[in-house]
Amino acid sequence: QVQLVESGGGLVQDGASLRLDCAASGGTFRSLAMGWFRQAPGIKEREFLGAISPSGRTYYPDSLKGRFYVFRDNSKSAAYLDLDTLKPEDTAVYSCAASHNDGELVLPRPSAYNYWGQGTQVVVSS
């Protein structure tokens, strides 16, 4: 069983940058694909932000390319999400997830993930 714990969220100003951490334990981290999602207030669906496969290949939705960056450090069993030029509409709960699956068509789907963290809140003030 893999446990995931996110950290790094908080209240930031419009235009700020932020790094979110996802610490993993209880599994073979290097064999897992890691993804990041967010859920905005009042929105039921999780929005895909990016993912990184065990090989290091990254996937992003076109709407967010250039602002959000996913990377991993296998030696620390950790994944990260860099958020750049944050806007008030980026306010959401950000969650990391781990998957035994891989691939461009699979990783954008929340259903592809086997394990989820509890999420960390990001609030962007105007």
Side-chain angles (χ1 to χ4, degrees):
Q1 186 74 10
V2 176
Q3 290 83 41
L4 303 174
V5 179
E6 301 94 336
S7 61
L11 174 64
V12 296
Q13 296 287 326
D14 189 353
S17 298
L18 201 61
R19 173 169 292 175
L20 305 182
D21 295 2
C22 175
S25 61
T28 305
F29 180 78
R30 63 179 66 251
S31 69
L32 296 168
M34 300 299 296
W36 285 92
F37 293 80
R38 69 183 177 187
Q39 195 164 13
I43 304 297
K44 184 178 179 181
E45 293 77 19
R46 285 186 167 119
E47 180 185 7
F48 173 66
L49 305 178
I52 184 166
S53 69
S55 67
R57 183 174 180 180
T58 53
Y59 309 93
Y60 299 99
D62 289 339
S63 59
L64 294 173
K65 278 184 179 177
R67 275 211 309 133
F68 292 0
Y69 177 60
V70 178
F71 61 105
R72 65 193 295 159
D73 186 339
N74 289 339
S75 68
K76 296 181 179 179
S77 295
Y80 306 91
L81 178 67
D82 276 351
L83 311 173
D84 192 29
T85 318
L86 284 163
K87 309 170 185 177
E89 52 264 41
D90 292 319
T91 293
V93 174
Y94 287 70
S95 299
C96 68
S99 176
H100 294 295
N101 302 299
D102 198 357
E104 183 176 11
L105 298 180
V106 173
L107 291 180
R109 304 175 187 172
S111 61
Y113 293 82
N114 305 96
Y115 313 100
W116 289 84
Q118 82 290 347
T120 184
Q121 177 83 49
V122 174
V123 177
V124 185
S125 63
S126 57

